[in-house]
PDB file of all heavy atoms in Angstrom:
ATOM      1  N   TYR Q 271       0.854  -1.182  -0.042  1.00 95.00           N
ATOM      2  CA  TYR Q 271      -0.005  -0.003   0.004  1.00 95.00           C
ATOM      3  C   TYR Q 271       0.956   1.277   0.046  1.00 95.00           C
ATOM      4  O   TYR Q 271       1.968   1.286   0.707  1.00 95.00           O
ATOM      5  CB  TYR Q 271      -0.766   0.012   1.308  1.00 95.00           C
ATOM      6  CG  TYR Q 271      -1.984  -0.956   1.287  1.00 95.00           C
ATOM      7  CD1 TYR Q 271      -2.731  -1.171   2.410  1.00 95.00           C
ATOM      8  CD2 TYR Q 271      -2.359  -1.743   0.180  1.00 95.00           C
ATOM      9  CE1 TYR Q 271      -3.850  -2.038   2.512  1.00 95.00           C
ATOM     10  CE2 TYR Q 271      -3.321  -2.751   0.228  1.00 95.00           C
ATOM     11  CZ  TYR Q 271      -4.061  -2.759   1.353  1.00 95.00           C
ATOM     12  OH  TYR Q 271      -5.095  -3.738   1.498  1.00 95.00           O
ATOM     13  N   LYS Q 272       0.338   2.250  -0.631  1.00 93.00           N
ATOM     14  CA  LYS Q 272       1.162   3.526  -0.797  1.00 93.00           C
ATOM     15  C   LYS Q 272       1.030   4.140   0.697  1.00 93.00           C
ATOM     16  O   LYS Q 272       0.173   4.073   1.491  1.00 93.00           O
ATOM     17  CB  LYS Q 272       0.445   4.480  -1.740  1.00 93.00           C
ATOM     18  CG  LYS Q 272       1.065   5.790  -1.887  1.00 93.00           C
ATOM     19  CD  LYS Q 272       0.321   6.591  -2.966  1.00 93.00           C
ATOM     20  CE  LYS Q 272       0.975   7.989  -3.000  1.00 93.00           C
ATOM     21  NZ  LYS Q 272       0.345   8.853  -3.892  1.00 93.00           N
ATOM     22  N   ASN Q 273       2.179   4.669   1.006  1.00 95.00           N
ATOM     23  CA  ASN Q 273       2.380   5.511   2.216  1.00 95.00           C
ATOM     24  C   ASN Q 273       2.553   4.746   3.533  1.00 95.00           C
ATOM     25  O   ASN Q 273       2.567   5.334   4.669  1.00 95.00           O
ATOM     26  CB  ASN Q 273       1.236   6.567   2.423  1.00 95.00           C
ATOM     27  CG  ASN Q 273       1.216   7.576   1.400  1.00 95.00           C
ATOM     28  OD1 ASN Q 273       2.348   8.123   0.943  1.00 95.00           O
ATOM     29  ND2 ASN Q 273       0.060   7.998   0.821  1.00 95.00           N
ATOM     30  N   TYR Q 274       2.786   3.427   3.346  1.00 96.00           N
ATOM     31  CA  TYR Q 274       2.994   2.579   4.497  1.00 96.00           C
ATOM     32  C   TYR Q 274       4.403   2.191   4.433  1.00 96.00           C
ATOM     33  O   TYR Q 274       4.966   1.745   3.442  1.00 96.00           O
ATOM     34  CB  TYR Q 274       2.157   1.285   4.546  1.00 96.00           C
ATOM     35  CG  TYR Q 274       0.804   1.561   5.205  1.00 96.00           C
ATOM     36  CD1 TYR Q 274      -0.283   1.770   4.347  1.00 96.00           C
ATOM     37  CD2 TYR Q 274       0.679   1.583   6.543  1.00 96.00           C
ATOM     38  CE1 TYR Q 274      -1.547   1.890   4.923  1.00 96.00           C
ATOM     39  CE2 TYR Q 274      -0.669   1.694   7.168  1.00 96.00           C
ATOM     40  CZ  TYR Q 274      -1.564   1.861   6.330  1.00 96.00           C
ATOM     41  OH  TYR Q 274      -2.994   2.125   6.743  1.00 96.00           O
ATOM     42  N   TYR Q 275       5.132   2.338   5.568  1.00 95.00           N
ATOM     43  CA  TYR Q 275       6.589   2.009   5.671  1.00 95.00           C
ATOM     44  C   TYR Q 275       6.774   1.115   6.938  1.00 95.00           C
ATOM     45  O   TYR Q 275       6.121   1.267   7.880  1.00 95.00           O
ATOM     46  CB  TYR Q 275       7.484   3.233   5.782  1.00 95.00           C
ATOM     47  CG  TYR Q 275       7.410   4.150   4.652  1.00 95.00           C
ATOM     48  CD1 TYR Q 275       6.256   5.121   4.592  1.00 95.00           C
ATOM     49  CD2 TYR Q 275       8.059   4.147   3.531  1.00 95.00           C
ATOM     50  CE1 TYR Q 275       6.127   5.837   3.625  1.00 95.00           C
ATOM     51  CE2 TYR Q 275       7.991   4.926   2.488  1.00 95.00           C
ATOM     52  CZ  TYR Q 275       6.933   5.881   2.433  1.00 95.00           C
ATOM     53  OH  TYR Q 275       6.757   6.780   1.416  1.00 95.00           O
ATOM     54  N   PHE Q 276       7.903   0.229   6.892  1.00 95.00           N
ATOM     55  CA  PHE Q 276       8.072  -0.612   7.969  1.00 95.00           C
ATOM     56  C   PHE Q 276       9.423  -0.398   8.610  1.00 95.00           C
ATOM     57  O   PHE Q 276      10.434  -0.312   7.974  1.00 95.00           O
ATOM     58  CB  PHE Q 276       8.074  -2.036   7.613  1.00 95.00           C
ATOM     59  CG  PHE Q 276       6.512  -2.556   7.396  1.00 95.00           C
ATOM     60  CD1 PHE Q 276       5.781  -2.214   6.318  1.00 95.00           C
ATOM     61  CD2 PHE Q 276       5.887  -3.438   8.304  1.00 95.00           C
ATOM     62  CE1 PHE Q 276       4.474  -2.561   6.135  1.00 95.00           C
ATOM     63  CE2 PHE Q 276       4.654  -3.711   8.131  1.00 95.00           C
ATOM     64  CZ  PHE Q 276       3.974  -3.439   7.067  1.00 95.00           C
ATOM     65  N   VAL Q 277       9.384  -0.349  10.001  1.00 95.00           N
ATOM     66  CA  VAL Q 277      10.658  -0.521  10.819  1.00 95.00           C
ATOM     67  C   VAL Q 277      11.178  -1.918  10.505  1.00 95.00           C
ATOM     68  O   VAL Q 277      10.349  -2.854  10.470  1.00 95.00           O
ATOM     69  CB  VAL Q 277      10.449  -0.382  12.278  1.00 95.00           C
ATOM     70  CG1 VAL Q 277      11.754  -0.537  13.057  1.00 95.00           C
ATOM     71  CG2 VAL Q 277       9.814   1.102  12.578  1.00 95.00           C
ATOM     72  N   PRO Q 278      12.549  -2.117  10.152  1.00 93.00           N
ATOM     73  CA  PRO Q 278      12.950  -3.599   9.910  1.00 93.00           C
ATOM     74  C   PRO Q 278      12.560  -4.489  11.084  1.00 93.00           C
ATOM     75  O   PRO Q 278      12.594  -4.075  12.194  1.00 93.00           O
ATOM     76  CB  PRO Q 278      14.367  -3.418   9.755  1.00 93.00           C
ATOM     77  CG  PRO Q 278      14.590  -1.948   9.338  1.00 93.00           C
ATOM     78  CD  PRO Q 278      13.493  -1.118  10.058  1.00 93.00           C
ATOM     79  N   PHE Q 279      12.125  -5.676  10.742  1.00 93.00           N
ATOM     80  CA  PHE Q 279      11.663  -6.551  11.783  1.00 93.00           C
ATOM     81  C   PHE Q 279      12.118  -8.102  11.412  1.00 93.00           C
ATOM     82  O   PHE Q 279      12.529  -8.314  10.306  1.00 93.00           O
ATOM     83  CB  PHE Q 279      10.106  -6.535  11.914  1.00 93.00           C
ATOM     84  CG  PHE Q 279       9.275  -6.909  10.668  1.00 93.00           C
ATOM     85  CD1 PHE Q 279       8.843  -8.098  10.397  1.00 93.00           C
ATOM     86  CD2 PHE Q 279       9.163  -5.892   9.678  1.00 93.00           C
ATOM     87  CE1 PHE Q 279       8.224  -8.438   9.210  1.00 93.00           C
ATOM     88  CE2 PHE Q 279       8.475  -6.212   8.506  1.00 93.00           C
ATOM     89  CZ  PHE Q 279       7.952  -7.426   8.232  1.00 93.00           C
ATOM     90  N   GLY Q 280      12.083  -8.777  12.361  1.00 89.00           N
ATOM     91  CA  GLY Q 280      12.442 -10.233  12.112  1.00 89.00           C
ATOM     92  C   GLY Q 280      12.008 -11.109  13.362  1.00 89.00           C
ATOM     93  O   GLY Q 280      11.374 -10.650  14.282  1.00 89.00           O
ATOM     94  N   MET Q 281      12.373 -12.382  13.224  1.00 89.00           N
ATOM     95  CA  MET Q 281      11.889 -13.251  14.374  1.00 89.00           C
ATOM     96  C   MET Q 281      12.606 -12.930  15.683  1.00 89.00           C
ATOM     97  O   MET Q 281      13.838 -12.600  15.792  1.00 89.00           O
ATOM     98  CB  MET Q 281      12.310 -14.678  13.906  1.00 89.00           C
ATOM     99  CG  MET Q 281      11.450 -15.189  12.682  1.00 89.00           C
ATOM    100  SD  MET Q 281      11.756 -16.908  12.294  1.00 89.00           S
ATOM    101  CE  MET Q 281      10.738 -17.750  13.406  1.00 89.00           C
ATOM    102  N   ASP Q 282      11.759 -13.102  16.729  1.00 87.00           N
ATOM    103  CA  ASP Q 282      12.382 -12.618  18.060  1.00 87.00           C
ATOM    104  C   ASP Q 282      12.727 -13.903  18.953  1.00 87.00           C
ATOM    105  O   ASP Q 282      13.466 -13.775  19.816  1.00 87.00           O
ATOM    106  CB  ASP Q 282      11.388 -11.725  18.745  1.00 87.00           C
ATOM    107  CG  ASP Q 282       9.976 -12.315  19.002  1.00 87.00           C
ATOM    108  OD1 ASP Q 282       9.518 -12.836  17.980  1.00 87.00           O
ATOM    109  OD2 ASP Q 282       9.491 -12.190  20.147  1.00 87.00           O
ATOM    110  N   ASP Q 283      12.188 -15.104  18.536  1.00 77.00           N
ATOM    111  CA  ASP Q 283      12.487 -16.319  19.305  1.00 77.00           C
ATOM    112  C   ASP Q 283      12.206 -17.405  18.392  1.00 77.00           C
ATOM    113  O   ASP Q 283      11.028 -18.069  18.494  1.00 77.00           O
ATOM    114  CB  ASP Q 283      11.786 -16.309  20.683  1.00 77.00           C
ATOM    115  CG  ASP Q 283      12.088 -17.645  21.446  1.00 77.00           C
ATOM    116  OD1 ASP Q 283      12.804 -18.455  20.953  1.00 77.00           O
ATOM    117  OD2 ASP Q 283      11.647 -17.660  22.643  1.00 77.00           O
ATOM    118  N   CYS Q 284      12.973 -17.768  17.362  1.00 82.00           N
ATOM    119  CA  CYS Q 284      12.569 -18.842  16.387  1.00 82.00           C
ATOM    120  C   CYS Q 284      12.492 -20.180  16.929  1.00 82.00           C
ATOM    121  O   CYS Q 284      11.790 -21.058  16.324  1.00 82.00           O
ATOM    122  CB  CYS Q 284      13.597 -18.823  15.221  1.00 82.00           C
ATOM    123  SG  CYS Q 284      15.294 -19.061  15.783  1.00 82.00           S
ATOM    124  N   GLU Q 285      12.966 -20.441  18.095  1.00 87.00           N
ATOM    125  CA  GLU Q 285      12.806 -21.783  18.722  1.00 87.00           C
ATOM    126  C   GLU Q 285      11.423 -21.959  19.464  1.00 87.00           C
ATOM    127  O   GLU Q 285      10.888 -23.102  19.364  1.00 87.00           O
ATOM    128  CB  GLU Q 285      14.052 -22.182  19.574  1.00 87.00           C
ATOM    129  CG  GLU Q 285      15.286 -22.296  18.873  1.00 87.00           C
ATOM    130  CD  GLU Q 285      16.504 -22.758  19.689  1.00 87.00           C
ATOM    131  OE1 GLU Q 285      16.272 -23.570  20.708  1.00 87.00           O
ATOM    132  OE2 GLU Q 285      17.604 -22.459  19.286  1.00 87.00           O
ATOM    133  N   HIS Q 286      11.088 -21.012  20.243  1.00 85.00           N
ATOM    134  CA  HIS Q 286       9.975 -21.087  21.081  1.00 85.00           C
ATOM    135  C   HIS Q 286       8.663 -20.439  20.521  1.00 85.00           C
ATOM    136  O   HIS Q 286       7.470 -20.864  20.958  1.00 85.00           O
ATOM    137  CB  HIS Q 286      10.290 -20.588  22.452  1.00 85.00           C
ATOM    138  CG  HIS Q 286      11.394 -21.375  23.259  1.00 85.00           C
ATOM    139  ND1 HIS Q 286      12.735 -20.871  23.158  1.00 85.00           N
ATOM    140  CD2 HIS Q 286      11.418 -22.527  23.591  1.00 85.00           C
ATOM    141  CE1 HIS Q 286      13.480 -21.606  23.789  1.00 85.00           C
ATOM    142  NE2 HIS Q 286      12.711 -22.744  24.060  1.00 85.00           N
ATOM    143  N   LYS Q 287       8.923 -19.447  19.672  1.00 80.00           N
ATOM    144  CA  LYS Q 287       7.761 -18.775  19.069  1.00 80.00           C
ATOM    145  C   LYS Q 287       7.944 -18.686  17.553  1.00 80.00           C
ATOM    146  O   LYS Q 287       8.442 -17.739  17.046  1.00 80.00           O
ATOM    147  CB  LYS Q 287       7.645 -17.335  19.717  1.00 80.00           C
ATOM    148  CG  LYS Q 287       7.422 -17.366  21.171  1.00 80.00           C
ATOM    149  CD  LYS Q 287       7.147 -15.961  21.882  1.00 80.00           C
ATOM    150  CE  LYS Q 287       7.873 -14.773  21.240  1.00 80.00           C
ATOM    151  NZ  LYS Q 287       7.538 -13.600  22.055  1.00 80.00           N
ATOM    152  N   THR Q 288       7.701 -19.774  16.953  1.00 88.00           N
ATOM    153  CA  THR Q 288       7.948 -19.967  15.560  1.00 88.00           C
ATOM    154  C   THR Q 288       7.234 -19.028  14.585  1.00 88.00           C
ATOM    155  O   THR Q 288       7.744 -19.058  13.429  1.00 88.00           O
ATOM    156  CB  THR Q 288       7.746 -21.405  15.232  1.00 88.00           C
ATOM    157  OG1 THR Q 288       6.469 -21.702  15.435  1.00 88.00           O
ATOM    158  CG2 THR Q 288       8.663 -22.415  16.010  1.00 88.00           C
ATOM    159  N   LYS Q 289       6.247 -18.354  14.863  1.00 83.00           N
ATOM    160  CA  LYS Q 289       5.571 -17.462  14.022  1.00 83.00           C
ATOM    161  C   LYS Q 289       5.591 -15.957  14.466  1.00 83.00           C
ATOM    162  O   LYS Q 289       5.083 -15.149  13.831  1.00 83.00           O
ATOM    163  CB  LYS Q 289       4.047 -17.939  13.849  1.00 83.00           C
ATOM    164  CG  LYS Q 289       3.946 -19.340  13.295  1.00 83.00           C
ATOM    165  CD  LYS Q 289       2.455 -19.558  13.102  1.00 83.00           C
ATOM    166  CE  LYS Q 289       2.301 -20.945  12.451  1.00 83.00           C
ATOM    167  NZ  LYS Q 289       1.011 -21.423  12.322  1.00 83.00           N
ATOM    168  N   SER Q 290       6.414 -15.761  15.528  1.00 85.00           N
ATOM    169  CA  SER Q 290       6.513 -14.362  16.128  1.00 85.00           C
ATOM    170  C   SER Q 290       7.499 -13.563  15.539  1.00 85.00           C
ATOM    171  O   SER Q 290       8.688 -14.042  15.097  1.00 85.00           O
ATOM    172  CB  SER Q 290       6.788 -14.651  17.668  1.00 85.00           C
ATOM    173  OG  SER Q 290       6.809 -13.304  18.203  1.00 85.00           O
ATOM    174  N   MET Q 291       7.261 -12.265  15.254  1.00 91.00           N
ATOM    175  CA  MET Q 291       8.228 -11.278  14.704  1.00 91.00           C
ATOM    176  C   MET Q 291       7.967 -10.018  15.408  1.00 91.00           C
ATOM    177  O   MET Q 291       6.951  -9.755  15.877  1.00 91.00           O
ATOM    178  CB  MET Q 291       8.051 -11.198  13.268  1.00 91.00           C
ATOM    179  CG  MET Q 291       8.299 -12.413  12.507  1.00 91.00           C
ATOM    180  SD  MET Q 291       8.211 -12.029  10.640  1.00 91.00           S
ATOM    181  CE  MET Q 291      10.055 -11.939  10.470  1.00 91.00           C
ATOM    182  N   VAL Q 292       9.153  -9.243  15.525  1.00 92.00           N
ATOM    183  CA  VAL Q 292       9.122  -8.005  16.263  1.00 92.00           C
ATOM    184  C   VAL Q 292       9.986  -7.024  15.479  1.00 92.00           C
ATOM    185  O   VAL Q 292      11.057  -7.369  14.870  1.00 92.00           O
ATOM    186  CB  VAL Q 292       9.398  -8.135  17.680  1.00 92.00           C
ATOM    187  CG1 VAL Q 292      10.832  -8.482  17.899  1.00 92.00           C
ATOM    188  CG2 VAL Q 292       9.063  -6.782  18.529  1.00 92.00           C
ATOM    189  N   CYS Q 293       9.697  -5.762  15.475  1.00 94.00           N
ATOM    190  CA  CYS Q 293      10.604  -4.852  14.866  1.00 94.00           C
ATOM    191  C   CYS Q 293      11.801  -4.515  15.682  1.00 94.00           C
ATOM    192  O   CYS Q 293      11.845  -4.841  16.824  1.00 94.00           O
ATOM    193  CB  CYS Q 293       9.830  -3.437  14.606  1.00 94.00           C
ATOM    194  SG  CYS Q 293       9.503  -2.420  16.151  1.00 94.00           S
ATOM    195  N   ASP Q 294      12.710  -3.972  15.046  1.00 95.00           N
ATOM    196  CA  ASP Q 294      14.026  -3.556  15.604  1.00 95.00           C
ATOM    197  C   ASP Q 294      13.810  -2.145  16.231  1.00 95.00           C
ATOM    198  O   ASP Q 294      13.944  -1.190  15.474  1.00 95.00           O
ATOM    199  CB  ASP Q 294      15.197  -3.667  14.654  1.00 95.00           C
ATOM    200  CG  ASP Q 294      16.448  -3.305  15.340  1.00 95.00           C
ATOM    201  OD1 ASP Q 294      16.581  -2.795  16.432  1.00 95.00           O
ATOM    202  OD2 ASP Q 294      17.541  -3.450  14.606  1.00 95.00           O
ATOM    203  N   PHE Q 295      13.474  -2.077  17.502  1.00 97.00           N
ATOM    204  CA  PHE Q 295      13.229  -0.769  18.097  1.00 97.00           C
ATOM    205  C   PHE Q 295      14.349   0.256  18.049  1.00 97.00           C
ATOM    206  O   PHE Q 295      14.104   1.496  17.941  1.00 97.00           O
ATOM    207  CB  PHE Q 295      12.703  -0.944  19.512  1.00 97.00           C
ATOM    208  CG  PHE Q 295      11.241  -1.558  19.644  1.00 97.00           C
ATOM    209  CD1 PHE Q 295      11.209  -2.830  19.746  1.00 97.00           C
ATOM    210  CD2 PHE Q 295      10.210  -0.773  19.610  1.00 97.00           C
ATOM    211  CE1 PHE Q 295       9.973  -3.579  19.845  1.00 97.00           C
ATOM    212  CE2 PHE Q 295       8.879  -1.359  19.728  1.00 97.00           C
ATOM    213  CZ  PHE Q 295       8.862  -2.687  19.933  1.00 97.00           C
ATOM    214  N   GLY Q 296      15.547  -0.277  17.955  1.00 96.00           N
ATOM    215  CA  GLY Q 296      16.695   0.525  17.714  1.00 96.00           C
ATOM    216  C   GLY Q 296      16.726   1.264  16.408  1.00 96.00           C
ATOM    217  O   GLY Q 296      17.581   2.173  16.199  1.00 96.00           O
ATOM    218  N   GLN Q 297      15.909   0.832  15.411  1.00 95.00           N
ATOM    219  CA  GLN Q 297      15.774   1.422  14.040  1.00 95.00           C
ATOM    220  C   GLN Q 297      14.659   2.338  13.833  1.00 95.00           C
ATOM    221  O   GLN Q 297      14.462   2.833  12.743  1.00 95.00           O
ATOM    222  CB  GLN Q 297      15.989   0.309  13.022  1.00 95.00           C
ATOM    223  CG  GLN Q 297      17.283  -0.451  13.050  1.00 95.00           C
ATOM    224  CD  GLN Q 297      17.532  -1.165  11.804  1.00 95.00           C
ATOM    225  OE1 GLN Q 297      17.274  -0.716  10.690  1.00 95.00           O
ATOM    226  NE2 GLN Q 297      17.851  -2.393  11.957  1.00 95.00           N
ATOM    227  N   VAL Q 298      13.840   2.669  14.797  1.00 97.00           N
ATOM    228  CA  VAL Q 298      12.749   3.505  14.763  1.00 97.00           C
ATOM    229  C   VAL Q 298      13.214   4.896  14.320  1.00 97.00           C
ATOM    230  O   VAL Q 298      12.698   5.519  13.323  1.00 97.00           O
ATOM    231  CB  VAL Q 298      11.807   3.459  15.949  1.00 97.00           C
ATOM    232  CG1 VAL Q 298      10.797   4.605  15.875  1.00 97.00           C
ATOM    233  CG2 VAL Q 298      11.189   2.176  16.246  1.00 97.00           C
ATOM    234  N   LEU Q 299      14.108   5.571  15.006  1.00 97.00           N
ATOM    235  CA  LEU Q 299      14.561   6.918  14.686  1.00 97.00           C
ATOM    236  C   LEU Q 299      15.180   6.820  13.326  1.00 97.00           C
ATOM    237  O   LEU Q 299      14.928   7.757  12.483  1.00 97.00           O
ATOM    238  CB  LEU Q 299      15.713   7.198  15.718  1.00 97.00           C
ATOM    239  CG  LEU Q 299      16.337   8.563  15.379  1.00 97.00           C
ATOM    240  CD1 LEU Q 299      15.299   9.648  15.455  1.00 97.00           C
ATOM    241  CD2 LEU Q 299      17.382   8.744  16.588  1.00 97.00           C
TER     242      LEU Q 299
END
């Protein structure tokens, strides 16, 4: 969609939460 942007994100616990992802809060700025 136009005008939507994402903070880079990835898996936060690939062993225990196999579908979970979270953004890299350090890259918000």
Side-chain angles (χ1 to χ4, degrees):
Y271 290 170
K272 183 179 178 184
N273 297 317
Y274 278 98
Y275 302 86
F276 283 76
V277 177
F279 60 98
M281 295 183 81
D282 56 316
D283 184 353
C284 60
E285 290 185 27
H286 299 102
K287 298 186 328 184
T288 58
K289 295 182 181 182
S290 182
M291 298 185 98
V292 67
C293 72
D294 180 352
F295 289 91
Q297 292 194 49
V298 172
L299 176 60

